[in-house]
Every structure is written in structure tokens, then in C-alpha cells.
Amino acid sequence: MPNNRSAQADALLDGIAREREPAALKVFLGAAPGVGKTYAMLSAARELKRRGIDVVVGIVETHGRAETASLLEGLDVLPRRLVEYRERAIEELDLDALLARKPGVALVDELAHSNAPGSRHPYRYQDVLELLDAGIDVYTTVNIQHLESQNDVVERLTGVRVRETVPDAVFDRARDIVLVDLPPRELIERLQQGKVYLPELASSALQRFFNPSNLTALRELAVQQIADRVDADLRESLTARGQQVVPIRRRLLVAIDGSTNSEYLVRVARKLAERRNAPWSVAFVDTGDVDPQRRAAIEQSFALARRLGAQTDWLRGADVADTLLDHAAQQAVSGIVLGRTRERPIARMFNRTLTQRLLQHGAHLELTILATPEARRRARRRREPTFWHWSDLTIAAGGVGTALLLSFFAERLFGLSDLSPIFLLAVLLVAVRTRSSIAVLTALLCFIGWNFYFTDPRFSLTIWAPRDVANLLLFLVVALISGRLASRLRRQVLNLRAANANIEALQSLGRELAAAPDAEAVLAVAQRALTRTGCETVLYLRESGGQLRLAAGGARRPGLTEQAAADWAGAQGQPAGRGTDTLQASSWWFLPLKSRERVLGVAGLRPAQDAGEFGSEHAEFLASMVDDVAQALARTHLNEALEAARMQGETESLRTALLASVSHDLRSPLAAIIGAAESLGAYGDSMSPEDRNSLQESILGEGQRLDRYIQNLLDMTRLGHGELRIQRDWIAPAELLGAAVRRVRKQFPGIEIVIDLPAELPLLWVHPALVEQAVFNLLENAARFSPPGGPVLLRACVDADPQRLRVEVGDLGPGIPAEERRRIFDPFYSVARGDRGKGGTGLGLTICQGLIGAHGGSVEALPGADGIGTLIVVTLPLTTPPDASG
């Protein structure tokens, strides 16, 4: 048979995943108390200590055994934590101290122990899981009767129901399992010698639990458990090496109905799945008629299944068999486990039982049908009609009464002899408002009423005419079928409404989250969406240091217990609080907002007015919404990281440009000044007056150039820090633009400036010096890039918007491509077409944009006339000037 590469890859990946677990769990398994589990664990710990490994005793119960207590000598024993409960001090494991100590290996005895009320976790195995998640290896002990999947078997064998159990999922996490075995006869001798229990307790233990038959049975269970584990490990190892073929991976599906045998089915299915090395899941099909009591039983069974390591699915469908078969096909299920179905006489008239339908349509599936003594006893007892409510019976009675009245008037007033449509309409109306059982009851009552009041002989159930017999029987059959179909249609409609409501809520949430720009907006959207589901909501963001920060706009701040649950959920990335196994005293259910890499926050939920618990289906819906919120938060964090990276890149580019600008634009005028000064100092006496004047003018010009550059840097600094103060005054545009033109002509004596200013322009309410500087920068830039003899254009007019003044500065230079026009306003723009060319600093246009923007204006670069040169357009707001007469 060829190798199954997929199975081999799965086995390799499972092995790698197990090796990459943060810590290892080693379990010392025994068949009963007293076999020496703690002794074996301490002996192994002393060997680790001898090899130099840091070992700490978290908690070990010696039960007064001297030989066990002697093994504690030389080991680091952690002090226990005292918990006050009912005026007693109870010693428990100090979990926080052990986490802070963080040894290489921690010894935690009695894995199935129940912690004292008020502890962080109700069970010690949860403390062990937190230690493992923190990267601490754990050695622990447990007896076979404490495994959850063995609970029913142990009760049948010994007659004792074990209350403290450990989920099999915890046991499956163990990397190593050591079987500590002792023959029953030797264990009984140890018990009689007082080495297991105190003498006064030993005699009763021998009579009840510690009898030879019980110990032999428990020993067999422990050996079988180890054999199953060894067999599974061997198969995985051989498959990973390609030495064994696994053609298909089996998967079991357990179908429950919420009855009292549902938990029994779950436990048996766990053993079947373990022996077959197959994953398994538990499913319930909701046909729309689940009452609160049944829902609670189903959720309790689901909780047990999840503790045993199963996946749970709440399915919706009008037909149980079809829904189960569809789900089995989607999940690649190879076998279905279900309880024996009870046949109902009325149901047999229309279709077969669930078991028969699964046998007929699921030929490729392996069906395991179980029956329990409790189920048989329950079948003998008369079950209370919990699903017939007074409201349903009232609707049925009203429908029958209305049909009788309408039939009476139809017969008397219109002479209608065929009354079946009236009664059939009543059955249909009741069916679409209630359940199928009420519809059947209505059909029977209508049958009796029609026979009693409207067939001969009247007021008697006797029927004379064969035609009436046929009509009544045909009516009954049609009414039953149509009532059942109408009721099924009603359930389908209700299921579709519920599903559509959830889908619409998730879609609406997705649309709102997609539009949220940052984390605070995401949390605001989540707050509104979760509140609309009928929950009180509180949201936290996790800061860089790991602390949780309460988001604004949420519910009232939770108390200390709730805050502890929220902190734990944020630190561990797992749900906590209400309905979980961690900090159950909290009235809030806390879910972590997780991305793939880390926890981004925590969502706290509880039903409005603290009414009841979250249903399984509602909890899954809320968890889906929280997952969507978490993904949206992850998106905003990614956007922020990308924006930070972009800003860092731009900052680096700006720094490079600044260094290049300073090295060039400061060094060039300084070199010219130094050279001219040295020439004057060395050769000034021998120079002609013209040469000396030329060098002096060069020093003056380069000094002024250096002064402008430094002034530009100072202006940029003030603009960047928001320190630029605007002292507004009224000024005529002609006066302001004329001052800028005079400065440019002084710097460029030969430049031609074409000025187009209307005679009457409204006054500007601006800071004259700043706007003049902005216009000067634009004219200076245009003068630098104008060809020799080319004019510079300066035009001003009222814009198309009469509330703004438009100023245009144009040149006949090389122009700027469209894709680079926005970049010319960036600091130190270094392309030759920008203002760094021909002695520019790269800051003039940036400063111009900042100065004009500070006045509420805008600056835009456009192509020149006929595509020649560049046109810079400045707009400034116009304000109504004060009355001159005033």
C-alpha cells in the first residue's frame, strides 16, 4: 500500500508542535491512592536536582508518610498560600509565587484537587495549565478514577461516583506518562499497616473502595489507558517516519438531543474516539422547538464535551437526519454515535425514526447506537408534557372554536355543505403560529368537531353516510400532513430569521469596522454593535507595557474581581470570568481581542440587567463579533506601523536632504566670503578700486544669501512648531505686491516683471510682512528659472469665488511635470526643476505654502500658458473691511 504523505506530514507537524510547546507535563498515573505516585515523583525530582536542574516543590501532600516526607529533604519547597474559608485557614498552592520563581521544574501533587473558594482557578489542573503556558515544566500525580472519560466506568465498577475529575484534554497534553503500579494484595497490606490512611479510616476504606475486585478493575483501567497512549504514540511515530500507512483519518460525530443520557453519550464517545485515535465532535440539531430547560441541558453537555477535548456544533435545520448527514459530509465524519430513538405512533404514520433514516441515507457511515439503563427507566415513566404551553393550547382552542362558528354560519347562511376548507384553514393557521404537536391536536379536534356538529346524525360521533366517512378521513390525513408541513415551514422561517439577523449584524459590523480609521474608532463601533445585541459591554486596549486601558464610552467600570478576570484574559489570551473555568465569581465574560501575534485588548460582556447566562448559540455569535473586532484592531495596528515606517522613511529622506542642503548652501557662500576676504587681506593694497569693490560686493551678496538661507531655516522651524504669530492688519494688495517686486528687482536687477493689477482690489486682512515674504519667494523662484530675457508674470484679481483673492506668478522656464507638481512644496526638494536649482535653498516654496496656509489660503502649481513654464496660483480669503467713516 502506498504511503499516505498527508498523514505523514500531519504526524511530523504534530511532533514538531509538541516539541515547540512552551513546557512539558509529566504525569505519574496510578490505579488508586497509596500506590506510590508521590514517592515516584519525588524520587524523579531528586534525580533532576542531582543533575543540576532547578526543581521547586509547589505543593506535595505526604499524608503523614515518613518515607515520602524524607524525600523532600534537600528540595526547595515553596511556602503555601493560606486561604480563609468559613473561619478556617486552608493551605493551597501559591501560584503567583511559583510563577515569579519560575523554576525549571515544578512539582504539583494531586492534579484533580479542587481549590478553596476565592482562588484564581477552581481546580488545580488549571493552575498547572497556567504554569505550562508560562514555560515551566510540571510533574504531577493523578489516579485513573479522576479522568473525566473514565467517570461512568468507575461508577459502574465500584459503585462510587468520583466528584473531582480532570478533563482528558489536560491529560492528553502530557508529554510523558509514568504508570506507578502496585498489586492489589500489596496495596491492601499497605492500607492495613496505616501507610495510606489513618487506622480509623482504613477499615471502612477496605470494606468499600479498597476491595480486591475494585482494585483489580482500576488497575486494568490504568493499564488500558497507558496501552492506548503507547499505541497512539507508536502509530504517530511510525507514520511520521513513513513506516505505517494511514489511508483515512477517522472522525466521530456524537448526536445529542438534550435528554439526560446526553452526557453519557459524550463520555462514551470520548473513549471510542480515543481508542480509534480519531478527532470527534458533538452536535445538536435545533429544529426551532427548544425550550429553556432543554437548552440548559444541551449547554451542560456541550461544556462537558469541550472539557473532554471535543468540538461542539449547534446546527439549525428542519429535519434532524438531513442536517446531521449534511454536517457529516462537510466535516468528513466516518461514524455517528447516537442514543436509541423512541418510536412514536403518530410519527410512524409519516416517516421512519431517526435511526432508520440514518441507516437508509448514510450507507457510508458507521452508526453506533447506544442505550442506557437510565434511558430505559425514563421510557417507562410518564414524561410531563413540558412542551405544551397554555398559550399554545389557547391558540388551538381558539382556532377550533373559530372554525366551528364559521362553519355554522356558512352552512346556515350560504348552504355550504363542504366545510373541509374552513377546518383545514384553522389547522394551517394554528400550525404556523405554534408547533407540529399542537397542529396535530388541532387537526384531531377539528375532525371530532366536524363529525359531532355537521355530519348526520348530528351531535353524535356516529357517521351514517360512507361519503361523510371518506370526507372526514381524507380531511384528517390532509390536515395532519399540511399542519406538519406548515409547522416545519414555520421552524425554517424562524431559523432563517435568526441566521439572517446574525449575518446582517456581522455584515453591518464589518462595514462599520472597515470605515474605522484608528483603534479608538474601532472600539467605539464595537461598543455600539455589541450593545445592540442586548449586552452590557466594556472594552479595554492593551498598551505597550501589557496594562489594560479602559476605552471611553463603555459601561460602568467593573469591580476588582472583574478587573482581575480582564487582566488574566489579556495576559493569557484566553476567556475568563462568567461561564468559564477561570475566576467564575465575575459577573462579566471577558474575551481577548487577539491577532495572530499578540493580544490587542479585552472585551467584557454580560447580559443586560444581568439576566441569566449566555446561550451557547448566542455566545458563539458574540465570539464571532469579538473576532471581527480583533481583526479590525489588528488592521489599525498594521496601518499605524506602516504609517510609522513611512514617516520614518520620509524623516530619513528629509534628514539626508537637510544635510545635503546645509553642506552645499552654507558652505558655498561661506567659501566665497572667505575667498574674497583672503584676497582683500593679501592683495588689497595692490588691487585697483574696481577689483576691491567687486570683492566687497561679492562678500555682501554672499552674506545676504547666507542670511536668507538662515532666515528660511528659522521660518521653517517656527512653522513646524506652530510658533508663527500672525499679527493681521488691513493692506492694499497693490502695496503688498509692490514691496515684494521691489525686493526681487533689487536682487535680480535685470529681471523683467510684467504686472497686471486692476485699479480697484479689495483690502486684505493679513500679516503684511509674512504674505510679502511668501510672494517674494514665489517671484524669486520664478526669476531663477526664467530663461535669459524671459519675463516673470505677476497678476492679481478677485477669484471666481468672490470671497477670495487670486494671485498668479508665472515664468517661461522648463516647467514641472504633472506628477511632480505637489513635490515642489516639499522641504529641500532637490530635482533641478524645483527651487534648489540655480542657487536656491529648497525651502522657499515650502515656506510660501506654510505662510499662505497660516492665513487660510492655498498654493497650487499649474502649467503655464500653452504648456510653457509654470504658473503658481495663490488664493487668500477676503474679509469685509471696516467702514472708513467709522
Side-chain angles (χ1 to χ4, degrees), residues 666-682:
L666 286 181
R667 188 173 183 179
S668 296
L670 285 175
I673 292 173
I674 293 173
E678 288 179 347
S679 297
L680 285 175

mmCIF file with all atom_site columns, all heavy atoms in Angstrom, residues 666-682:
data_model
loop_
_atom_site.group_PDB
_atom_site.id
_atom_site.type_symbol
_atom_site.label_atom_id
_atom_site.label_alt_id
_atom_site.label_comp_id
_atom_site.label_asym_id
_atom_site.label_entity_id
_atom_site.label_seq_id
_atom_site.pdbx_PDB_ins_code
_atom_site.Cartn_x
_atom_site.Cartn_y
_atom_site.Cartn_z
_atom_site.occupancy
_atom_site.B_iso_or_equiv
_atom_site.pdbx_formal_charge
_atom_site.auth_seq_id
_atom_site.auth_comp_id
_atom_site.auth_asym_id
_atom_site.auth_atom_id
_atom_site.pdbx_PDB_model_num
ATOM 1   N N   . LEU A 1 666 ? 25.256 76.301 2.796  1.00 0.00 ? 666 LEU A N   1
ATOM 2   C CA  . LEU A 1 666 ? 26.020 77.091 3.761  1.00 0.00 ? 666 LEU A CA  1
ATOM 3   C C   . LEU A 1 666 ? 27.483 77.179 3.361  1.00 0.00 ? 666 LEU A C   1
ATOM 4   O O   . LEU A 1 666 ? 28.126 78.222 3.522  1.00 0.00 ? 666 LEU A O   1
ATOM 5   C CB  . LEU A 1 666 ? 25.904 76.459 5.156  1.00 0.00 ? 666 LEU A CB  1
ATOM 6   C CG  . LEU A 1 666 ? 24.576 76.633 5.882  1.00 0.00 ? 666 LEU A CG  1
ATOM 7   C CD1 . LEU A 1 666 ? 24.639 75.970 7.261  1.00 0.00 ? 666 LEU A CD1 1
ATOM 8   C CD2 . LEU A 1 666 ? 24.223 78.094 6.052  1.00 0.00 ? 666 LEU A CD2 1
ATOM 9   N N   . ARG A 1 667 ? 27.990 76.085 2.834  1.00 0.00 ? 667 ARG A N   1
ATOM 10  C CA  . ARG A 1 667 ? 29.417 76.059 2.516  1.00 0.00 ? 667 ARG A CA  1
ATOM 11  C C   . ARG A 1 667 ? 29.756 76.958 1.330  1.00 0.00 ? 667 ARG A C   1
ATOM 12  O O   . ARG A 1 667 ? 30.800 77.623 1.320  1.00 0.00 ? 667 ARG A O   1
ATOM 13  C CB  . ARG A 1 667 ? 29.826 74.622 2.225  1.00 0.00 ? 667 ARG A CB  1
ATOM 14  C CG  . ARG A 1 667 ? 31.327 74.453 2.079  1.00 0.00 ? 667 ARG A CG  1
ATOM 15  C CD  . ARG A 1 667 ? 31.676 72.976 1.967  1.00 0.00 ? 667 ARG A CD  1
ATOM 16  N NE  . ARG A 1 667 ? 33.099 72.788 1.906  1.00 0.00 ? 667 ARG A NE  1
ATOM 17  C CZ  . ARG A 1 667 ? 33.695 71.594 1.833  1.00 0.00 ? 667 ARG A CZ  1
ATOM 18  N NH1 . ARG A 1 667 ? 32.934 70.508 1.849  1.00 0.00 ? 667 ARG A NH1 1
ATOM 19  N NH2 . ARG A 1 667 ? 35.003 71.500 1.766  1.00 0.00 ? 667 ARG A NH2 1
ATOM 20  N N   . SER A 1 668 ? 28.851 76.985 0.309  1.00 0.00 ? 668 SER A N   1
ATOM 21  C CA  . SER A 1 668 ? 29.159 77.769 -0.894 1.00 0.00 ? 668 SER A CA  1
ATOM 22  C C   . SER A 1 668 ? 29.314 79.261 -0.602 1.00 0.00 ? 668 SER A C   1
ATOM 23  O O   . SER A 1 668 ? 30.338 79.867 -0.952 1.00 0.00 ? 668 SER A O   1
ATOM 24  C CB  . SER A 1 668 ? 28.077 77.532 -1.949 1.00 0.00 ? 668 SER A CB  1
ATOM 25  O OG  . SER A 1 668 ? 28.088 76.184 -2.350 1.00 0.00 ? 668 SER A OG  1
ATOM 26  N N   . PRO A 1 669 ? 28.324 79.918 0.063  1.00 0.00 ? 669 PRO A N   1
ATOM 27  C CA  . PRO A 1 669 ? 28.542 81.357 0.347  1.00 0.00 ? 669 PRO A CA  1
ATOM 28  C C   . PRO A 1 669 ? 29.676 81.591 1.325  1.00 0.00 ? 669 PRO A C   1
ATOM 29  O O   . PRO A 1 669 ? 30.393 82.589 1.211  1.00 0.00 ? 669 PRO A O   1
ATOM 30  C CB  . PRO A 1 669 ? 27.188 81.797 0.907  1.00 0.00 ? 669 PRO A CB  1
ATOM 31  C CG  . PRO A 1 669 ? 26.529 80.564 1.368  1.00 0.00 ? 669 PRO A CG  1
ATOM 32  C CD  . PRO A 1 669 ? 26.996 79.478 0.473  1.00 0.00 ? 669 PRO A CD  1
ATOM 33  N N   . LEU A 1 670 ? 29.867 80.687 2.289  1.00 0.00 ? 670 LEU A N   1
ATOM 34  C CA  . LEU A 1 670 ? 30.982 80.862 3.212  1.00 0.00 ? 670 LEU A CA  1
ATOM 35  C C   . LEU A 1 670 ? 32.317 80.775 2.483  1.00 0.00 ? 670 LEU A C   1
ATOM 36  O O   . LEU A 1 670 ? 33.253 81.552 2.765  1.00 0.00 ? 670 LEU A O   1
ATOM 37  C CB  . LEU A 1 670 ? 30.908 79.814 4.318  1.00 0.00 ? 670 LEU A CB  1
ATOM 38  C CG  . LEU A 1 670 ? 29.854 80.037 5.406  1.00 0.00 ? 670 LEU A CG  1
ATOM 39  C CD1 . LEU A 1 670 ? 29.820 78.865 6.371  1.00 0.00 ? 670 LEU A CD1 1
ATOM 40  C CD2 . LEU A 1 670 ? 30.140 81.335 6.168  1.00 0.00 ? 670 LEU A CD2 1
ATOM 41  N N   . ALA A 1 671 ? 32.430 79.842 1.538  1.00 0.00 ? 671 ALA A N   1
ATOM 42  C CA  . ALA A 1 671 ? 33.677 79.720 0.779  1.00 0.00 ? 671 ALA A CA  1
ATOM 43  C C   . ALA A 1 671 ? 33.939 80.977 -0.040 1.00 0.00 ? 671 ALA A C   1
ATOM 44  O O   . ALA A 1 671 ? 35.085 81.461 -0.138 1.00 0.00 ? 671 ALA A O   1
ATOM 45  C CB  . ALA A 1 671 ? 33.600 78.486 -0.125 1.00 0.00 ? 671 ALA A CB  1
ATOM 46  N N   . ALA A 1 672 ? 32.845 81.519 -0.644 1.00 0.00 ? 672 ALA A N   1
ATOM 47  C CA  . ALA A 1 672 ? 33.019 82.741 -1.434 1.00 0.00 ? 672 ALA A CA  1
ATOM 48  C C   . ALA A 1 672 ? 33.424 83.915 -0.549 1.00 0.00 ? 672 ALA A C   1
ATOM 49  O O   . ALA A 1 672 ? 34.297 84.720 -0.910 1.00 0.00 ? 672 ALA A O   1
ATOM 50  C CB  . ALA A 1 672 ? 31.723 83.056 -2.180 1.00 0.00 ? 672 ALA A CB  1
ATOM 51  N N   . ILE A 1 673 ? 32.803 84.040 0.626  1.00 0.00 ? 673 ILE A N   1
ATOM 52  C CA  . ILE A 1 673 ? 33.127 85.139 1.547  1.00 0.00 ? 673 ILE A CA  1
ATOM 53  C C   . ILE A 1 673 ? 34.569 85.001 2.025  1.00 0.00 ? 673 ILE A C   1
ATOM 54  O O   . ILE A 1 673 ? 35.341 85.986 2.054  1.00 0.00 ? 673 ILE A O   1
ATOM 55  C CB  . ILE A 1 673 ? 32.148 85.141 2.723  1.00 0.00 ? 673 ILE A CB  1
ATOM 56  C CG1 . ILE A 1 673 ? 30.751 85.527 2.229  1.00 0.00 ? 673 ILE A CG1 1
ATOM 57  C CG2 . ILE A 1 673 ? 32.611 86.094 3.811  1.00 0.00 ? 673 ILE A CG2 1
ATOM 58  C CD1 . ILE A 1 673 ? 29.677 85.385 3.294  1.00 0.00 ? 673 ILE A CD1 1
ATOM 59  N N   . ILE A 1 674 ? 34.949 83.773 2.410  1.00 0.00 ? 674 ILE A N   1
ATOM 60  C CA  . ILE A 1 674 ? 36.317 83.567 2.905  1.00 0.00 ? 674 ILE A CA  1
ATOM 61  C C   . ILE A 1 674 ? 37.334 83.854 1.813  1.00 0.00 ? 674 ILE A C   1
ATOM 62  O O   . ILE A 1 674 ? 38.374 84.504 2.025  1.00 0.00 ? 674 ILE A O   1
ATOM 63  C CB  . ILE A 1 674 ? 36.463 82.134 3.441  1.00 0.00 ? 674 ILE A CB  1
ATOM 64  C CG1 . ILE A 1 674 ? 35.611 81.962 4.696  1.00 0.00 ? 674 ILE A CG1 1
ATOM 65  C CG2 . ILE A 1 674 ? 37.920 81.816 3.750  1.00 0.00 ? 674 ILE A CG2 1
ATOM 66  C CD1 . ILE A 1 674 ? 35.553 80.541 5.191  1.00 0.00 ? 674 ILE A CD1 1
ATOM 67  N N   . GLY A 1 675 ? 37.024 83.388 0.569  1.00 0.00 ? 675 GLY A N   1
ATOM 68  C CA  . GLY A 1 675 ? 37.972 83.631 -0.523 1.00 0.00 ? 675 GLY A CA  1
ATOM 69  C C   . GLY A 1 675 ? 38.132 85.112 -0.830 1.00 0.00 ? 675 GLY A C   1
ATOM 70  O O   . GLY A 1 675 ? 39.250 85.606 -1.029 1.00 0.00 ? 675 GLY A O   1
ATOM 71  N N   . ALA A 1 676 ? 36.996 85.830 -0.867 1.00 0.00 ? 676 ALA A N   1
ATOM 72  C CA  . ALA A 1 676 ? 37.075 87.262 -1.144 1.00 0.00 ? 676 ALA A CA  1
ATOM 73  C C   . ALA A 1 676 ? 37.792 87.997 -0.026 1.00 0.00 ? 676 ALA A C   1
ATOM 74  O O   . ALA A 1 676 ? 38.601 88.913 -0.275 1.00 0.00 ? 676 ALA A O   1
ATOM 75  C CB  . ALA A 1 676 ? 35.662 87.819 -1.348 1.00 0.00 ? 676 ALA A CB  1
ATOM 76  N N   . ALA A 1 677 ? 37.528 87.622 1.230  1.00 0.00 ? 677 ALA A N   1
ATOM 77  C CA  . ALA A 1 677 ? 38.189 88.279 2.357  1.00 0.00 ? 677 ALA A CA  1
ATOM 78  C C   . ALA A 1 677 ? 39.680 88.018 2.346  1.00 0.00 ? 677 ALA A C   1
ATOM 79  O O   . ALA A 1 677 ? 40.495 88.924 2.639  1.00 0.00 ? 677 ALA A O   1
ATOM 80  C CB  . ALA A 1 677 ? 37.558 87.797 3.661  1.00 0.00 ? 677 ALA A CB  1
ATOM 81  N N   . GLU A 1 678 ? 40.067 86.755 2.024  1.00 0.00 ? 678 GLU A N   1
ATOM 82  C CA  . GLU A 1 678 ? 41.505 86.457 1.959  1.00 0.00 ? 678 GLU A CA  1
ATOM 83  C C   . GLU A 1 678 ? 42.190 87.246 0.845  1.00 0.00 ? 678 GLU A C   1
ATOM 84  O O   . GLU A 1 678 ? 43.328 87.722 1.005  1.00 0.00 ? 678 GLU A O   1
ATOM 85  C CB  . GLU A 1 678 ? 41.698 84.956 1.747  1.00 0.00 ? 678 GLU A CB  1
ATOM 86  C CG  . GLU A 1 678 ? 41.369 84.121 2.977  1.00 0.00 ? 678 GLU A CG  1
ATOM 87  C CD  . GLU A 1 678 ? 41.544 82.644 2.716  1.00 0.00 ? 678 GLU A CD  1
ATOM 88  O OE1 . GLU A 1 678 ? 41.669 82.270 1.525  1.00 0.00 ? 678 GLU A OE1 1
ATOM 89  O OE2 . GLU A 1 678 ? 41.533 81.855 3.677  1.00 0.00 ? 678 GLU A OE2 1
ATOM 90  N N   . SER A 1 679 ? 41.514 87.395 -0.280 1.00 0.00 ? 679 SER A N   1
ATOM 91  C CA  . SER A 1 679 ? 42.087 88.167 -1.389 1.00 0.00 ? 679 SER A CA  1
ATOM 92  C C   . SER A 1 679 ? 42.263 89.629 -1.011 1.00 0.00 ? 679 SER A C   1
ATOM 93  O O   . SER A 1 679 ? 43.297 90.252 -1.303 1.00 0.00 ? 679 SER A O   1
ATOM 94  C CB  . SER A 1 679 ? 41.184 88.050 -2.632 1.00 0.00 ? 679 SER A CB  1
ATOM 95  O OG  . SER A 1 679 ? 41.116 86.705 -3.064 1.00 0.00 ? 679 SER A OG  1
ATOM 96  N N   . LEU A 1 680 ? 41.251 90.167 -0.320 1.00 0.00 ? 680 LEU A N   1
ATOM 97  C CA  . LEU A 1 680 ? 41.391 91.566 0.117  1.00 0.00 ? 680 LEU A CA  1
ATOM 98  C C   . LEU A 1 680 ? 42.504 91.716 1.137  1.00 0.00 ? 680 LEU A C   1
ATOM 99  O O   . LEU A 1 680 ? 43.251 92.708 1.130  1.00 0.00 ? 680 LEU A O   1
ATOM 100 C CB  . LEU A 1 680 ? 40.062 92.044 0.712  1.00 0.00 ? 680 LEU A CB  1
ATOM 101 C CG  . LEU A 1 680 ? 38.938 92.361 -0.286 1.00 0.00 ? 680 LEU A CG  1
ATOM 102 C CD1 . LEU A 1 680 ? 37.658 92.689 0.467  1.00 0.00 ? 680 LEU A CD1 1
ATOM 103 C CD2 . LEU A 1 680 ? 39.332 93.536 -1.193 1.00 0.00 ? 680 LEU A CD2 1
ATOM 104 N N   . GLY A 1 681 ? 42.624 90.762 2.026  1.00 0.00 ? 681 GLY A N   1
ATOM 105 C CA  . GLY A 1 681 ? 43.669 90.881 3.036  1.00 0.00 ? 681 GLY A CA  1
ATOM 106 C C   . GLY A 1 681 ? 45.062 90.741 2.472  1.00 0.00 ? 681 GLY A C   1
ATOM 107 O O   . GLY A 1 681 ? 46.012 91.391 2.927  1.00 0.00 ? 681 GLY A O   1
ATOM 108 N N   . ALA A 1 682 ? 45.212 89.866 1.459  1.00 0.00 ? 682 ALA A N   1
ATOM 109 C CA  . ALA A 1 682 ? 46.543 89.606 0.932  1.00 0.00 ? 682 ALA A CA  1
ATOM 110 C C   . ALA A 1 682 ? 46.946 90.591 -0.158 1.00 0.00 ? 682 ALA A C   1
ATOM 111 O O   . ALA A 1 682 ? 48.105 91.001 -0.249 1.00 0.00 ? 682 ALA A O   1
ATOM 112 C CB  . ALA A 1 682 ? 46.610 88.174 0.399  1.00 0.00 ? 682 ALA A CB  1
#
